[in-house]
Amino acid sequence: MMSDASLEQSLKLLREEAGMVCHSASSHVIIVFGASGDLAKKKIYPTLWWLFRDKLLPSNTHFVGYSRSNLTVDNLRSNAMPYLNAKDSEWTQLDEFFKRNSYVQGSYDKPEDFIRLNKFIVDNFSACSNRLFYLATPPSQFISVATNLKAHCTAESDGLWNRLIVEKPFGKDLDSSEVLAKHLSSLFSEDQIYRIDHYLGKEMVQNVVVLRFANRVFSPLWNRDNIANVVVTFKENFGTEGRGGYFDEFGIIRDVMQNHLLQILCLIAMERPISMEANDIRDEKVKVLRCMRPLSLDDVVVGQYVADPENGKPGYLDDPTVPAGSITPTYAVAALYGVPFIVRAGKALNEKKCEVRIQFKDVIADILPSGAVHRNELVLRVQPNEAVYMKLMTKRPGMGFGAEETELDLTYNRRFTDLKLPDAYERLLLDVLVGSQINFVRTDELREAWRVFTPALHALESQRVAPHPYPYGVRNGPPQSDEFMRRLGFTFS
Ligand code: NDP
Ligand code: BG6
């Protein structure tokens, strides 16, 4: 983990690198499609502001918001304001940031609107600009936006680049993802396409490779002889709350599991890459996915939250943006390949948390009383409050000789005081500016991920499998989830 000083140093290096790769352009333009939307206000504009504030962007960078709504830059600013975390002392800089912003209203499918957008860029920032297009619209718009961008908005001079950030979900199943992938690759080369999975930008996810491959102590243990199971958990303590229009079409498996959790799992399960180069790491992740057999209904348990009269929280079906009678899962647990690997994700649970829990096999405890010894666990807490801790058995301190479970605890905010971790999107946007694909998803990874999940998703939908109900705010989703995990050999402590 970096100290604050070394973080600053790396950010400085990234900044210098950004300057180096962009030397042939007179400016950079970042164009945000879907600028009126939720992701734009909560993540994209705040991230652009933080990068601007910390002087991490190439000096002549401009930002253009684009969407169908009739908006001004002031509207963009007030939408994003609650998420910008701007201090009073930063207001002058914030004004400067918004002076670099502009807004173009237009459709996602009419060529004339994209011709107008291109003219706006050329007239205001020169034709000699590198262009970064951020597709933050619903996925239904990706194909028409990409087609029109290619036809009318790309920078064409030698030495200039065009890069495209595409948000998840990349399709709804294997076939639709292939259609999207083929379409994008007919327009842009793989090195221009950045499929963003923001979990890959989180500190603890980035830490997996270092923890695994820079510590001799783990190498001999990191295999099925020693590991009983690996559980990757994602929990949120809120429901869909108005996002039902999007969520109901996709469900928790497509929203979180097939992408964020599977990416974490690949990093945990992969063999040592030849190098830290983007393609070497992604090659190893693909190998993990190729080993996984497709999921069937028997490998999955799904749930949906219902109202809890005790805490007054509404059920999924009470959300006015959710269609009546929906059977979309808001909770799922699935068992994948080998060890086993268990992934579980749920909305409307008791807390917001994401962690990886590696449970080691039982010791042969013939010298200690039966039941006295618990399994060792290595836990990587991705959020909140990043930590790595190991659950160990030690002698209970004092005169007696009993065994007791304790922890070797590396909680980041205790170990690293004044820690300032960059947001995942900050890291990933800088990666795109410097042209690094290391934290982005390659087409073959995506294909394999869909190959694994598509049969179970189709079976759930075609057989209209009813999700098990669980009350809003419970710890672990429906009780069937815990039973399923016990059957796979997970021991609840
Ligand atoms: P929104 O629903 O807020 O959509 C973004 C914008 O797209 C809207 O403001 C609207 O702009 C336009 N839009 C919405 N619905 C349609 C439609 N049916 N047809 C055409 N345009 C439409 O989505 P989000 O911002 O939440 O998500 C954008 C992308 O980012 C999605 O791919 C999502 O999966 C992904 N994402 C979102 C996250 C989040 O926290 N919100 C997190 C991670 C990924 P206008 O009408 O003005 O054109
Ligand atoms: C997004 C999902 O990809 O990730 C959301 O679409 C989810 O449903 C979000 O809430 C969680 O991200 P984070 O960074 O807040 O854990």
Side-chain angles (χ1 to χ4, degrees):
M1 176 51 216
M2 290 182 204
S3 68
D4 210 29
S6 53
L7 170 66
E8 288 306 322
Q9 180 63 17
S10 329
L11 292 177
K12 185 165 170 280
L13 284 173
L14 277 166
R15 183 176 60 221
E16 283 166 6
E17 209 179 332
M20 265 164 49
V21 293
C22 305
H23 64 277
S24 52
S26 63
S27 62
H28 289 71
V29 187
I30 301 177
I31 303 116
V32 181
F33 291 90
S36 56
D38 190 67
L39 182 71
K41 75 174 176 199
K42 287 187 184 154
K43 288 292 180 188
I44 303 174
Y45 280 101
T47 300
L48 293 174
W49 149 241
W50 297 325
L51 293 174
F52 176 85
R53 178 198 62 192
D54 296 341
K55 301 188 172 40
L56 291 166
L57 294 172
S59 54
N60 202 5
T61 300
H62 300 271
F63 317 97
V64 181
Y66 183 101
S67 57
R68 302 172 305 179
S69 302
N70 183 11
L71 295 179
T72 62
V73 169
D74 282 347
N75 298 138
L76 294 178
R77 180 175 179 156
S78 51
N79 289 348
M81 207 56 206
Y83 309 97
L84 297 176
N85 300 332
K87 297 189 194 119
D88 289 349
S89 58
E90 292 166 350
W91 276 73
T92 312
Q93 228 187 332
L94 191 64
D95 289 341
E96 279 169 35
F97 169 70
F98 277 103
K99 277 190 200 138
R100 299 284 191 99
N101 273 269
S102 31
Y103 180 74
V104 174
Q105 182 184 6
S107 71
Y108 300 122
D109 56 357
K110 294 198 183 82
E112 60 270 26
D113 290 346
F114 286 79
I115 293 168
R116 191 163 45 81
L117 171 64
N118 189 52
K119 184 167 175 348
F120 180 87
I121 295 169
V122 171
D123 289 352
N124 288 283
F125 319 117
S126 116
C128 188
S129 314
N130 288 326
R131 297 182 189 189
L132 169 52
F133 304 104
Y134 199 133
L135 271 54
T137 64
S140 53
Q141 308 305 309
F142 290 169
I143 287 186
S144 68
V145 173
T147 309
N148 280 296
L149 280 181
K150 176 66 183 175
H152 307 296
C153 288
T154 50
E156 297 301 344
S157 313
D158 284 351
L160 295 182
W161 53 251
N162 299 283
R163 293 178 187 152
L164 197 66
I165 302 182
V166 189
E167 267 294 346
K168 55 153 274 275
F170 315 109
K172 284 186 73 179
D173 56 13
L174 184 57
D175 288 348
S176 56
S177 166
E178 289 282 281
V179 169
L180 179 58
K182 277 203 184 101
H183 190 82
L184 290 182
S185 64
S186 71
L187 301 169
F188 296 94
S189 58
E190 185 71 18
D191 65 342
Q192 293 179 302
I193 304 170
Y194 291 74
R195 292 175 202 82
I196 196 164
D197 183 316
H198 74 283
Y199 267 60
L200 288 174
K202 293 194 185 258
E203 181 67 26
M204 197 51 67
V205 177
Q206 301 226 321
N207 190 26
V208 172
V209 172
V210 178
L211 193 75
R212 287 194 54 197
F213 300 113
N215 289 296
R216 177 74 185 254
V217 69
F218 291 129
S219 321
L221 298 179
W222 215 270
N223 53 49
R224 60 166 59 220
D225 294 336
N226 293 292
I227 293 177
N229 55 64
V230 177
V231 183
V232 186
T233 301
F234 168 97
K235 294 165 95 174
E236 275 181 343
N237 55 353
F238 48 89
T240 42
E241 275 134 55
R243 269 184 94 208
Y246 153 77
F247 188 87
D248 198 72
E249 194 188 339
F250 290 91
I252 196 76
I253 297 178
R254 293 183 178 97
D255 189 42
V256 169
M257 193 178 270
Q258 180 269 353
N259 32 62
H260 302 330
L261 303 195
L262 194 61
Q263 284 292 327
I264 297 179
L265 194 154
C266 286
L267 293 169
I268 295 286
M270 73 183 185
E271 296 295 334
R272 178 189 292 272
I274 297 168
S275 78
M276 288 294 287
E277 292 297 311
N279 276 334
D280 290 335
I281 293 186
R282 295 189 300 176
D283 284 349
E284 292 306 327
K285 282 163 54 192
V286 172
K287 282 186 204 159
V288 173
L289 292 167
R290 286 209 176 118
C291 293
M292 290 182 186
R293 64 175 169 75
L295 289 180
S296 73
L297 274 188
D298 291 342
D299 303 315
V300 190
V301 171
V302 291
Q304 189 185 82
Y305 65 91
V306 294
D308 181 354
E310 279 191 17
N311 61 23
K313 295 286 192 182
Y316 179 65
L317 296 179
D318 299 325
D319 184 331
T321 57
V322 169
S326 165
I327 54 162
T328 296
T330 60
Y331 180 96
V333 53
L336 294 150
Y337 151 73
V339 159
F341 290 98
I342 301 167
V343 281
R344 57 178 176 164
K347 296 219 170 239
L349 296 173
N350 64 331
E351 60 183 336
K352 181 166 167 66
K353 184 163 94 173
C354 178
E355 67 173 28
V356 181
R357 188 169 293 261
I358 298 166
Q359 200 166 70
F360 290 86
K361 289 194 169 166
D362 293 319
V363 290
I364 303 159
D366 54 357
I367 58 165
L368 289 166
S370 160
V373 176
H374 300 179
R375 285 178 165 181
N376 291 142
E377 285 183 354
L378 174 66
V379 181
L380 279 72
R381 191 164 63 227
V382 175
Q383 63 187 34
N385 197 8
E386 292 82 353
V388 181
Y389 59 93
M390 179 93 195
K391 289 192 168 190
L392 297 173
M393 298 306 299
T394 53
K395 179 189 145 320
R396 187 171 303 120
M399 292 294 276
F401 203 80
E404 183 173 85
E405 189 177 71
T406 46
E407 285 166 12
L408 281 180
D409 184 355
L410 172 59
T411 296
Y412 274 34
N413 64 14
R414 269 187 250 135
R415 172 66 181 79
F416 306 105
T417 46
D418 297 328
L419 185 65
K420 176 184 170 287
L421 291 176
D423 182 84
Y425 279 91
E426 264 179 282
R427 251 192 249 273
L428 297 177
L429 264 162
L430 278 182
D431 277 348
V432 180
L433 284 168
V434 301
S436 167
Q437 290 265 3
I438 196 163
N439 295 309
F440 293 82
V441 182
R442 212 167 57 184
T443 325
D444 51 352
E445 283 181 78
L446 188 59
R447 186 180 306 121
E448 289 300 322
W450 280 121
R451 180 188 61 75
V452 173
F453 277 96
T454 296
L457 285 164
H458 282 179
L460 284 167
E461 284 154 6
S462 64
Q463 296 175 37
R464 293 198 52 77
V465 175
H468 299 290
Y470 64 96
Y472 194 125
V474 293
R475 186 173 173 209
N476 280 341
Q480 291 81 355
S481 168
D482 286 0
E483 285 162 28
F484 176 79
M485 288 179 60
R486 274 196 199 92
R487 281 203 304 278
L488 292 165
F490 181 80
T491 306
F492 289 88
S493 50

